[in-house]
Amino acid sequence: MNQRLVHMALVVADYDDAIRFYTEQLNFVLLEDTPLSETKRWVRVAPPGSGSCALLLAKADTDEQLSRVGNQTGGRVFLFLHTDDFWRDYHAMTARGVRFVRPPDTMPYGTVAVFEDLYGNLWDLIEPVA
């Protein structure tokens, strides 16, 4: 059997704002931006070197979906971004305006800090222990 995760949907309020945040502030790569209708697009972004897994930016189009923007996990850390150089990425992200809500810390599994995306979803930036 061969299975793998390839996309994770992230509900966003606006495609272009989300693309700007992920590509300009987090340095992600825009993999695809394909119009599907007048209001819907297929937008995928991923960190450099991520392989086949990408975020699918899904614009909210109902009141219920809008209520989930920025809080898809009830305030828990939602996504985990691994890096090969924590301090390089931490300083670069801070310089580009990314807001860290928990400072860097050394844990048994690696160096970690929590940041929020443009909507308030929480992420871990982690350099795992080798």
Side-chain angles (χ1 to χ4, degrees):
M1 179 179 279
N2 184 10
Q3 297 177 334
R4 60 193 164 95
L5 287 175
V6 292
H7 308 310
M8 295 185 62
L10 179 67
V11 182
V12 300
D14 180 83
Y15 289 119
D16 295 320
D17 289 344
I19 290 169
R20 269 190 300 281
F21 176 81
Y22 285 99
T23 61
E24 295 175 11
Q25 291 187 265
L26 295 188
N27 199 37
F28 281 25
V29 177
L30 177 61
L31 301 173
E32 184 176 2
D33 185 355
T34 304
L36 300 176
S37 71
E38 293 280 328
T39 58
K40 197 170 193 168
R41 292 155 52 184
W42 184 262
V43 178
R44 294 183 312 121
V45 297
S50 68
S52 63
C53 192
L55 285 179
L56 177 65
L57 303 179
K59 185 177 177 188
D61 58 1
T62 68
D63 288 340
E64 183 176 359
Q65 290 172 5
L66 277 170
S67 76
R68 302 300 194 268
V69 171
N71 191 21
Q72 290 188 202
T73 60
R76 291 188 58 102
V77 169
F78 177 41
L79 296 163
F80 301 81
L81 181 61
H82 280 201
T83 177
D84 61 351
D85 187 331
F86 177 87
W87 292 107
R88 173 199 66 211
D89 292 343
Y90 174 81
H91 291 302
M93 291 166 69
T94 302
R96 290 190 300 262
V98 175
R99 182 164 129 31
F100 281 83
V101 297
R102 284 188 223 133
D105 198 4
T106 302
M107 303 298 286
Y109 54 85
T111 304
V112 62
V114 178
F115 68 93
E116 63 183 10
D117 68 14
L118 75 162
Y119 298 114
N121 292 301
L122 297 179
W123 291 64
D124 271 359
L125 174 66
I126 303 171
E127 181 179 351
V129 170

